[in-house]
Amino acid sequence: MLQVDHVNAYYGKLQVLHDVSLTIQDGERVGIFGHNGAGKTTLLKCLVGDLAQVEGQIHYQNQAIVAGQVHLNVRHGIGFVPQGHNVFRELSVEQNLRIAGLMHDPAYAQTVCEIFPILQERKLQLAGSLSGGQQQMLALGMSIMTRPRLLLLDEPTTGLAPIIVRDVLTSIRDINQKEGSTVLIVEQNVQATLKQVDRAIVLKSGRVIFDGASKQLLEEKSLWHLF
Ligand SMILES: Nc1ncnc2c1ncn2[C@@H]1O[C@H](COP(=O)(O)OP(=O)(O)O)[C@@H](O)[C@H]1O
Ligand SMILES: [Mg+2]
């Protein structure tokens, strides 16, 4: 279980998160939505301890997430895929996967390729020559090489064609179902994401203004202008 209690986050004097509290159960798929600058990325950073100026408490599996200590926090099984295609462009698909899994089990690349068959097909291709969608699949594949129990994804479909967006979101659902990983996904493609998550959280100016079932958010048309 991930537990966030009364979190405030700051960049210098600028307060970006205001009294954010939420609980995520193991195995859940949750979408986080909100306007540009609402604090979505900041929230993900706090969850992995990638921001030093944080007040309040964050616990994952009853262990405290220590602000500013990402290297310790990830050992609790948290994987973070930041925005952008974070791959080693000059290395092959297979090399990327194996490097990501060095601290774990490089042979797990085989399982990752079963989740993303395109990575199997392009195993020997240089990552930099993959399409945007394929690079995103590779970045996701690399993150699951670390066997995360909690996967934090920051806008994994930004910049991708609609049909590819669906593929990426479906594979994220597969990771959740096949690996049992809890998934927390920040997305601008709200409609497509709502089909793949059970629960939605909406941030407005650093505050949680909605936390409920995806279906319920689809019905709350008054909130749609926020994203
Ligand atoms: N490194 C930073 N330094 C100062 N302000 C920042 C920094 N990163 C983000 N911010 C500010 O924090 C607010 C929330 O940003 P962010 O969490 O990136 O929002 P979102 O991901 O929802 O678009 C914005 O006002 C943004 O300008
Ligand atoms: Mg962001």
Side-chain angles (χ1 to χ4, degrees), residues 153-190:
L153 306 170
D154 198 357
E155 301 200 11
T157 73
T158 297
L160 304 180
I163 185 158
I164 313 288
V165 167
R166 208 185 51 203
D167 283 355
V168 172
L169 290 173
T170 309
S171 37
I172 289 167
R173 193 189 173 110
D174 281 356
I175 297 170
N176 168 263
Q177 291 179 336
K178 292 184 182 155
E179 302 294 301
S181 310
T182 308
V183 174
L184 214 55
I185 176 172
V186 167
E187 261 302 333
Q188 299 277 1
N189 288 303
V190 181

mmCIF file of all heavy atoms in Angstrom, residues 153-190:
data_model
loop_
_atom_site.group_PDB
_atom_site.id
_atom_site.type_symbol
_atom_site.label_atom_id
_atom_site.label_comp_id
_atom_site.label_asym_id
_atom_site.label_seq_id
_atom_site.Cartn_x
_atom_site.Cartn_y
_atom_site.Cartn_z
ATOM 1 N N LEU A 153 4.394 6.282 -13.889
ATOM 2 C CA LEU A 153 4.608 6.639 -15.295
ATOM 3 C C LEU A 153 4.171 8.071 -15.544
ATOM 4 O O LEU A 153 3.024 8.430 -15.278
ATOM 5 C CB LEU A 153 3.782 5.701 -16.186
ATOM 6 C CG LEU A 153 3.999 4.210 -15.953
ATOM 7 C CD1 LEU A 153 2.966 3.395 -16.710
ATOM 8 C CD2 LEU A 153 5.401 3.822 -16.400
ATOM 9 N N ASP A 154 5.102 8.878 -16.069
ATOM 10 C CA ASP A 154 4.766 10.280 -16.330
ATOM 11 C C ASP A 154 4.534 10.496 -17.824
ATOM 12 O O ASP A 154 5.476 10.527 -18.609
ATOM 13 C CB ASP A 154 5.878 11.194 -15.811
ATOM 14 C CG ASP A 154 5.412 12.639 -15.656
ATOM 15 O OD1 ASP A 154 4.242 12.937 -16.002
ATOM 16 O OD2 ASP A 154 6.210 13.472 -15.193
ATOM 17 N N GLU A 155 3.280 10.621 -18.191
ATOM 18 C CA GLU A 155 2.866 10.889 -19.573
ATOM 19 C C GLU A 155 3.535 9.973 -20.600
ATOM 20 O O GLU A 155 4.183 10.442 -21.530
ATOM 21 C CB GLU A 155 3.122 12.364 -19.914
ATOM 22 C CG GLU A 155 2.360 13.283 -18.991
ATOM 23 C CD GLU A 155 2.165 14.687 -19.540
ATOM 24 O OE1 GLU A 155 2.431 14.904 -20.733
ATOM 25 O OE2 GLU A 155 1.724 15.538 -18.767
ATOM 26 N N PRO A 156 3.336 8.672 -20.460
ATOM 27 C CA PRO A 156 3.997 7.739 -21.380
ATOM 28 C C PRO A 156 3.507 7.829 -22.818
ATOM 29 O O PRO A 156 4.183 7.321 -23.713
ATOM 30 C CB PRO A 156 3.678 6.359 -20.784
ATOM 31 C CG PRO A 156 2.459 6.560 -19.967
ATOM 32 C CD PRO A 156 2.556 7.962 -19.435
ATOM 33 N N THR A 157 2.377 8.471 -23.075
ATOM 34 C CA THR A 157 1.879 8.479 -24.462
ATOM 35 C C THR A 157 1.973 9.835 -25.140
ATOM 36 O O THR A 157 1.515 9.995 -26.267
ATOM 37 C CB THR A 157 0.413 7.998 -24.547
ATOM 38 O OG1 THR A 157 -0.443 9.020 -24.028
ATOM 39 C CG2 THR A 157 0.194 6.704 -23.791
ATOM 40 N N THR A 158 2.573 10.809 -24.466
ATOM 41 C CA THR A 158 2.641 12.144 -25.062
ATOM 42 C C THR A 158 3.409 12.117 -26.381
ATOM 43 O O THR A 158 4.485 11.537 -26.470
ATOM 44 C CB THR A 158 3.279 13.135 -24.065
ATOM 45 O OG1 THR A 158 2.417 13.201 -22.949
ATOM 46 C CG2 THR A 158 3.426 14.518 -24.659
ATOM 47 N N GLY A 159 2.820 12.733 -27.397
ATOM 48 C CA GLY A 159 3.484 12.826 -28.697
ATOM 49 C C GLY A 159 3.282 11.619 -29.592
ATOM 50 O O GLY A 159 3.828 11.577 -30.687
ATOM 51 N N LEU A 160 2.506 10.634 -29.135
ATOM 52 C CA LEU A 160 2.310 9.438 -29.965
ATOM 53 C C LEU A 160 0.982 9.511 -30.722
ATOM 54 O O LEU A 160 0.025 10.129 -30.261
ATOM 55 C CB LEU A 160 2.320 8.183 -29.087
ATOM 56 C CG LEU A 160 3.567 7.971 -28.221
ATOM 57 C CD1 LEU A 160 3.442 6.693 -27.415
ATOM 58 C CD2 LEU A 160 4.823 7.934 -29.091
ATOM 59 N N ALA A 161 0.949 8.845 -31.883
ATOM 60 C CA ALA A 161 -0.284 8.798 -32.679
ATOM 61 C C ALA A 161 -1.361 8.030 -31.902
ATOM 62 O O ALA A 161 -1.039 7.106 -31.154
ATOM 63 C CB ALA A 161 0.001 8.097 -34.000
ATOM 64 N N PRO A 162 -2.644 8.425 -32.098
ATOM 65 C CA PRO A 162 -3.733 7.826 -31.318
ATOM 66 C C PRO A 162 -3.738 6.297 -31.281
ATOM 67 O O PRO A 162 -3.968 5.699 -30.236
ATOM 68 C CB PRO A 162 -4.985 8.362 -32.005
ATOM 69 C CG PRO A 162 -4.557 9.660 -32.593
ATOM 70 C CD PRO A 162 -3.109 9.494 -32.985
ATOM 71 N N ILE A 163 -3.450 5.669 -32.399
ATOM 72 C CA ILE A 163 -3.504 4.205 -32.425
ATOM 73 C C ILE A 163 -2.386 3.603 -31.574
ATOM 74 O O ILE A 163 -2.551 2.577 -30.910
ATOM 75 C CB ILE A 163 -3.491 3.674 -33.875
ATOM 76 C CG1 ILE A 163 -3.665 2.160 -33.865
ATOM 77 C CG2 ILE A 163 -2.249 4.070 -34.630
ATOM 78 C CD1 ILE A 163 -4.190 1.624 -35.182
ATOM 79 N N ILE A 164 -1.234 4.295 -31.540
ATOM 80 C CA ILE A 164 -0.096 3.844 -30.727
ATOM 81 C C ILE A 164 -0.398 4.108 -29.244
ATOM 82 O O ILE A 164 -0.011 3.319 -28.375
ATOM 83 C CB ILE A 164 1.205 4.574 -31.129
ATOM 84 C CG1 ILE A 164 1.395 4.604 -32.633
ATOM 85 C CG2 ILE A 164 2.411 3.959 -30.436
ATOM 86 C CD1 ILE A 164 1.767 3.296 -33.254
ATOM 87 N N VAL A 165 -1.087 5.212 -28.982
ATOM 88 C CA VAL A 165 -1.474 5.538 -27.606
ATOM 89 C C VAL A 165 -2.230 4.353 -27.019
ATOM 90 O O VAL A 165 -1.946 3.903 -25.903
ATOM 91 C CB VAL A 165 -2.381 6.801 -27.575
ATOM 92 C CG1 VAL A 165 -3.050 6.965 -26.213
ATOM 93 C CG2 VAL A 165 -1.568 8.039 -27.931
ATOM 94 N N ARG A 166 -3.151 3.814 -27.802
ATOM 95 C CA ARG A 166 -3.955 2.694 -27.328
ATOM 96 C C ARG A 166 -3.076 1.478 -27.034
ATOM 97 O O ARG A 166 -3.231 0.813 -26.011
ATOM 98 C CB ARG A 166 -5.029 2.359 -28.370
ATOM 99 C CG ARG A 166 -6.263 1.735 -27.786
ATOM 100 C CD ARG A 166 -7.210 1.315 -28.863
ATOM 101 N NE ARG A 166 -6.521 0.490 -29.870
ATOM 102 C CZ ARG A 166 -6.951 0.338 -31.123
ATOM 103 N NH1 ARG A 166 -8.038 0.945 -31.534
ATOM 104 N NH2 ARG A 166 -6.291 -0.424 -31.961
ATOM 105 N N ASP A 167 -2.120 1.221 -27.927
ATOM 106 C CA ASP A 167 -1.205 0.082 -27.726
ATOM 107 C C ASP A 167 -0.397 0.231 -26.441
ATOM 108 O O ASP A 167 -0.241 -0.721 -25.678
ATOM 109 C CB ASP A 167 -0.190 -0.017 -28.877
ATOM 110 C CG ASP A 167 -0.816 -0.615 -30.117
ATOM 111 O OD1 ASP A 167 -1.991 -1.039 -30.036
ATOM 112 O OD2 ASP A 167 -0.133 -0.642 -31.159
ATOM 113 N N VAL A 168 0.141 1.434 -26.239
ATOM 114 C CA VAL A 168 0.975 1.658 -25.046
ATOM 115 C C VAL A 168 0.123 1.490 -23.787
ATOM 116 O O VAL A 168 0.524 0.808 -22.835
ATOM 117 C CB VAL A 168 1.639 3.061 -25.088
ATOM 118 C CG1 VAL A 168 2.335 3.379 -23.775
ATOM 119 C CG2 VAL A 168 2.649 3.136 -26.234
ATOM 120 N N LEU A 169 -1.080 2.064 -23.813
ATOM 121 C CA LEU A 169 -1.942 1.970 -22.625
ATOM 122 C C LEU A 169 -2.368 0.523 -22.361
ATOM 123 O O LEU A 169 -2.456 0.088 -21.212
ATOM 124 C CB LEU A 169 -3.169 2.871 -22.780
ATOM 125 C CG LEU A 169 -2.858 4.379 -22.726
ATOM 126 C CD1 LEU A 169 -4.108 5.186 -23.052
ATOM 127 C CD2 LEU A 169 -2.310 4.785 -21.362
ATOM 128 N N THR A 170 -2.598 -0.221 -23.449
ATOM 129 C CA THR A 170 -2.964 -1.624 -23.276
ATOM 130 C C THR A 170 -1.801 -2.406 -22.669
ATOM 131 O O THR A 170 -1.996 -3.260 -21.797
ATOM 132 C CB THR A 170 -3.367 -2.255 -24.629
ATOM 133 O OG1 THR A 170 -4.325 -1.402 -25.235
ATOM 134 C CG2 THR A 170 -3.973 -3.628 -24.463
ATOM 135 N N SER A 171 -0.571 -2.088 -23.115
ATOM 136 C CA SER A 171 0.552 -2.851 -22.556
ATOM 137 C C SER A 171 0.781 -2.494 -21.090
ATOM 138 O O SER A 171 1.226 -3.343 -20.307
ATOM 139 C CB SER A 171 1.820 -2.704 -23.384
ATOM 140 O OG SER A 171 1.947 -1.430 -23.889
ATOM 141 N N ILE A 172 0.429 -1.280 -20.720
ATOM 142 C CA ILE A 172 0.552 -0.908 -19.302
ATOM 143 C C ILE A 172 -0.452 -1.723 -18.478
ATOM 144 O O ILE A 172 -0.149 -2.205 -17.387
ATOM 145 C CB ILE A 172 0.328 0.610 -19.135
ATOM 146 C CG1 ILE A 172 1.529 1.355 -19.718
ATOM 147 C CG2 ILE A 172 0.125 0.977 -17.660
ATOM 148 C CD1 ILE A 172 1.336 2.821 -19.907
ATOM 149 N N ARG A 173 -1.610 -1.916 -19.054
ATOM 150 C CA ARG A 173 -2.603 -2.744 -18.383
ATOM 151 C C ARG A 173 -2.099 -4.196 -18.246
ATOM 152 O O ARG A 173 -2.286 -4.855 -17.226
ATOM 153 C CB ARG A 173 -3.897 -2.706 -19.203
ATOM 154 C CG ARG A 173 -5.070 -3.251 -18.465
ATOM 155 C CD ARG A 173 -6.255 -3.395 -19.398
ATOM 156 N NE ARG A 173 -7.305 -4.070 -18.686
ATOM 157 C CZ ARG A 173 -8.416 -3.480 -18.301
ATOM 158 N NH1 ARG A 173 -8.639 -2.226 -18.573
ATOM 159 N NH2 ARG A 173 -9.327 -4.152 -17.649
ATOM 160 N N ASP A 174 -1.408 -4.660 -19.308
ATOM 161 C CA ASP A 174 -0.819 -6.013 -19.272
ATOM 162 C C ASP A 174 0.198 -6.155 -18.144
ATOM 163 O O ASP A 174 0.271 -7.191 -17.491
ATOM 164 C CB ASP A 174 -0.097 -6.327 -20.589
ATOM 165 C CG ASP A 174 -1.060 -6.731 -21.680
ATOM 166 O OD1 ASP A 174 -2.269 -6.847 -21.387
ATOM 167 O OD2 ASP A 174 -0.598 -6.918 -22.822
ATOM 168 N N ILE A 175 1.027 -5.120 -17.972
ATOM 169 C CA ILE A 175 2.046 -5.169 -16.909
ATOM 170 C C ILE A 175 1.335 -5.348 -15.563
ATOM 171 O O ILE A 175 1.733 -6.150 -14.723
ATOM 172 C CB ILE A 175 2.894 -3.874 -16.873
ATOM 173 C CG1 ILE A 175 3.679 -3.718 -18.172
ATOM 174 C CG2 ILE A 175 3.821 -3.869 -15.666
ATOM 175 C CD1 ILE A 175 4.346 -2.353 -18.328
ATOM 176 N N ASN A 176 0.275 -4.602 -15.402
ATOM 177 C CA ASN A 176 -0.499 -4.682 -14.164
ATOM 178 C C ASN A 176 -1.093 -6.073 -13.987
ATOM 179 O O ASN A 176 -1.011 -6.671 -12.909
ATOM 180 C CB ASN A 176 -1.593 -3.606 -14.199
ATOM 181 C CG ASN A 176 -2.640 -3.778 -13.117
ATOM 182 O OD1 ASN A 176 -3.697 -4.350 -13.377
ATOM 183 N ND2 ASN A 176 -2.353 -3.322 -11.917
ATOM 184 N N GLN A 177 -1.638 -6.618 -15.072
ATOM 185 C CA GLN A 177 -2.326 -7.902 -14.928
ATOM 186 C C GLN A 177 -1.388 -9.092 -14.874
ATOM 187 O O GLN A 177 -1.603 -10.026 -14.123
ATOM 188 C CB GLN A 177 -3.374 -8.049 -16.041
ATOM 189 C CG GLN A 177 -4.508 -7.060 -15.796
ATOM 190 C CD GLN A 177 -5.591 -7.102 -16.832
ATOM 191 O OE1 GLN A 177 -5.361 -7.517 -17.966
ATOM 192 N NE2 GLN A 177 -6.778 -6.661 -16.473
ATOM 193 N N LYS A 178 -0.308 -9.043 -15.684
ATOM 194 C CA LYS A 178 0.601 -10.192 -15.719
ATOM 195 C C LYS A 178 1.606 -10.186 -14.580
ATOM 196 O O LYS A 178 1.993 -11.233 -14.074
ATOM 197 C CB LYS A 178 1.351 -10.244 -17.057
ATOM 198 C CG LYS A 178 0.423 -10.576 -18.217
ATOM 199 C CD LYS A 178 1.181 -10.726 -19.520
ATOM 200 C CE LYS A 178 0.211 -11.006 -20.653
ATOM 201 N NZ LYS A 178 0.726 -10.602 -21.953
ATOM 202 N N GLU A 179 2.072 -8.986 -14.216
ATOM 203 C CA GLU A 179 3.110 -8.885 -13.182
ATOM 204 C C GLU A 179 2.533 -8.512 -11.822
ATOM 205 O O GLU A 179 3.229 -8.547 -10.820
ATOM 206 C CB GLU A 179 4.156 -7.832 -13.584
ATOM 207 C CG GLU A 179 4.833 -8.110 -14.910
ATOM 208 C CD GLU A 179 5.685 -9.363 -14.864
ATOM 209 O OE1 GLU A 179 6.603 -9.405 -14.036
ATOM 210 O OE2 GLU A 179 5.400 -10.305 -15.628
ATOM 211 N N GLY A 180 1.285 -8.087 -11.829
ATOM 212 C CA GLY A 180 0.652 -7.680 -10.569
ATOM 213 C C GLY A 180 1.161 -6.354 -10.029
ATOM 214 O O GLY A 180 0.891 -5.999 -8.880
ATOM 215 N N SER A 181 1.905 -5.605 -10.873
ATOM 216 C CA SER A 181 2.435 -4.318 -10.395
ATOM 217 C C SER A 181 1.314 -3.295 -10.227
ATOM 218 O O SER A 181 0.402 -3.237 -11.045
ATOM 219 C CB SER A 181 3.445 -3.747 -11.395
ATOM 220 O OG SER A 181 4.397 -4.715 -11.746
ATOM 221 N N THR A 182 1.438 -2.503 -9.198
ATOM 222 C CA THR A 182 0.540 -1.365 -9.019
ATOM 223 C C THR A 182 0.976 -0.297 -10.031
ATOM 224 O O THR A 182 2.170 -0.083 -10.215
ATOM 225 C CB THR A 182 0.706 -0.796 -7.595
ATOM 226 O OG1 THR A 182 0.572 -1.867 -6.679
ATOM 227 C CG2 THR A 182 -0.301 0.292 -7.298
ATOM 228 N N VAL A 183 0.017 0.332 -10.698
ATOM 229 C CA VAL A 183 0.379 1.322 -11.717
ATOM 230 C C VAL A 183 -0.269 2.665 -11.412
ATOM 231 O O VAL A 183 -1.480 2.751 -11.208
ATOM 232 C CB VAL A 183 -0.063 0.848 -13.123
ATOM 233 C CG1 VAL A 183 0.189 1.945 -14.146
ATOM 234 C CG2 VAL A 183 0.669 -0.426 -13.533
ATOM 235 N N LEU A 184 0.581 3.686 -11.405
ATOM 236 C CA LEU A 184 0.120 5.065 -11.219
ATOM 237 C C LEU A 184 0.554 5.822 -12.461
ATOM 238 O O LEU A 184 1.744 5.929 -12.737
ATOM 239 C CB LEU A 184 0.825 5.626 -9.985
ATOM 240 C CG LEU A 184 0.078 6.608 -9.126
ATOM 241 C CD1 LEU A 184 -1.242 6.031 -8.677
ATOM 242 C CD2 LEU A 184 0.919 6.958 -7.908
ATOM 243 N N ILE A 185 -0.410 6.310 -13.234
ATOM 244 C CA ILE A 185 -0.063 6.878 -14.533
ATOM 245 C C ILE A 185 -0.595 8.308 -14.680
ATOM 246 O O ILE A 185 -1.781 8.553 -14.474
ATOM 247 C CB ILE A 185 -0.573 5.944 -15.668
ATOM 248 C CG1 ILE A 185 -0.334 6.541 -17.035
ATOM 249 C CG2 ILE A 185 -2.045 5.596 -15.521
ATOM 250 C CD1 ILE A 185 -0.633 5.586 -18.174
ATOM 251 N N VAL A 186 0.321 9.224 -14.976
ATOM 252 C CA VAL A 186 -0.055 10.609 -15.262
ATOM 253 C C VAL A 186 -0.290 10.693 -16.759
ATOM 254 O O VAL A 186 0.545 10.236 -17.541
ATOM 255 C CB VAL A 186 1.082 11.578 -14.857
ATOM 256 C CG1 VAL A 186 0.850 12.973 -15.440
ATOM 257 C CG2 VAL A 186 1.206 11.645 -13.342
ATOM 258 N N GLU A 187 -1.408 11.240 -17.178
ATOM 259 C CA GLU A 187 -1.732 11.280 -18.605
ATOM 260 C C GLU A 187 -2.494 12.528 -19.028
ATOM 261 O O GLU A 187 -3.281 13.072 -18.284
ATOM 262 C CB GLU A 187 -2.574 10.047 -18.988
ATOM 263 C CG GLU A 187 -1.770 8.939 -19.633
ATOM 264 C CD GLU A 187 -1.041 9.373 -20.888
ATOM 265 O OE1 GLU A 187 -1.479 10.318 -21.575
ATOM 266 O OE2 GLU A 187 0.005 8.773 -21.194
ATOM 267 N N GLN A 188 -2.206 12.951 -20.266
ATOM 268 C CA GLN A 188 -2.990 14.024 -20.900
ATOM 269 C C GLN A 188 -4.103 13.404 -21.743
ATOM 270 O O GLN A 188 -5.114 14.044 -21.999
ATOM 271 C CB GLN A 188 -2.104 14.846 -21.860
ATOM 272 C CG GLN A 188 -0.928 15.531 -21.209
ATOM 273 C CD GLN A 188 -1.304 16.850 -20.579
ATOM 274 O OE1 GLN A 188 -2.459 17.245 -20.616
ATOM 275 N NE2 GLN A 188 -0.328 17.518 -19.991
ATOM 276 N N ASN A 189 -3.878 12.155 -22.211
ATOM 277 C CA ASN A 189 -4.899 11.463 -22.991
ATOM 278 C C ASN A 189 -5.913 10.861 -22.022
ATOM 279 O O ASN A 189 -5.925 9.660 -21.760
ATOM 280 C CB ASN A 189 -4.258 10.361 -23.835
ATOM 281 C CG ASN A 189 -3.462 10.930 -24.987
ATOM 282 O OD1 ASN A 189 -3.994 11.663 -25.813
ATOM 283 N ND2 ASN A 189 -2.176 10.635 -25.019
ATOM 284 N N VAL A 190 -6.775 11.737 -21.503
ATOM 285 C CA VAL A 190 -7.634 11.342 -20.396
ATOM 286 C C VAL A 190 -8.659 10.280 -20.802
ATOM 287 O O VAL A 190 -8.805 9.255 -20.132
ATOM 288 C CB VAL A 190 -8.349 12.575 -19.804
ATOM 289 C CG1 VAL A 190 -9.228 12.181 -18.633
ATOM 290 C CG2 VAL A 190 -7.315 13.602 -19.366
#
